[in-house]
Amino acid sequence: MSEHEIKVCSLDELADPGAKEFEFETAQGKDYGFLVCRDGQVSAYVNSCPHTGAALNWAPDRFLTKAGDQIMCGVHGAIFRIEDGHCLAGPCEGRNLTPLPCRVEDGAVYVSVKGEQA
Ligand code: FES
């Protein structure tokens, strides 16, 4: 399957700390990912909890704890490290979110995804 890069948004559209969901095409159809920004660092993950595969956010773009220092799954409350998506507590403790390669260039955020080119 080919890998290609999509421009998700400009860096200005991301709060710090903050998160933003996005969609992309795969051979199987649409899939969803999210960006997380904290202390100027941006990471991207597939929006699928390792516990059940459900989307993590309980409302649009709401992926973080109240303090904004960790990712929280809105379904059963699993807590993940922002930097590497490792689950620190909850029903999937010790497992990991699926990272997506991501970079910032000229104020825009790009993510590499596997699948069909849009
Ligand atoms: S689906 Fe995420 S903690 Fe259960």
Side-chain angles (χ1 to χ4, degrees):
M1 198 181 290
S2 69
E3 187 162 298
H4 64 278
E5 205 169 53
I6 56 171
K7 180 180 170 185
V8 177
C9 64
S10 74
L11 200 51
D12 299 353
E13 293 172 68
L14 261 181
D16 185 352
K20 186 173 183 56
E21 189 177 17
F22 61 92
E23 62 177 52
F24 57 95
E25 294 293 330
T26 72
Q28 287 75 41
K30 267 194 209 325
D31 207 347
Y32 296 87
F34 64 100
L35 299 176
V36 192
C37 180
R38 184 171 162 82
D39 297 332
Q41 293 295 313
V42 183
S43 311
Y45 298 101
V46 175
N47 189 7
S48 172
C49 182
H51 181 212
T52 67
L56 287 101
N57 51 320
W58 49 274
D61 297 336
R62 303 304 292 264
F63 290 89
L64 300 181
T65 55
K66 222 173 188 170
D69 58 349
Q70 290 168 321
I71 298 165
M72 187 178 81
C73 178
V75 186
H76 307 106
I79 298 289
F80 302 86
R81 250 188 331 240
I82 287 179
E83 310 86 81
D84 59 4
H86 186 71
C87 183
L88 301 169
C92 44
E93 188 175 339
R95 296 176 67 189
N96 295 289
L97 297 172
T98 304
L100 294 167
C102 147
R103 68 185 178 91
V104 176
E105 189 180 309
D106 292 335
V109 185
Y110 297 86
V111 173
S112 293
V113 296
K114 284 189 167 54
E116 305 304 304
Q117 188 109 33

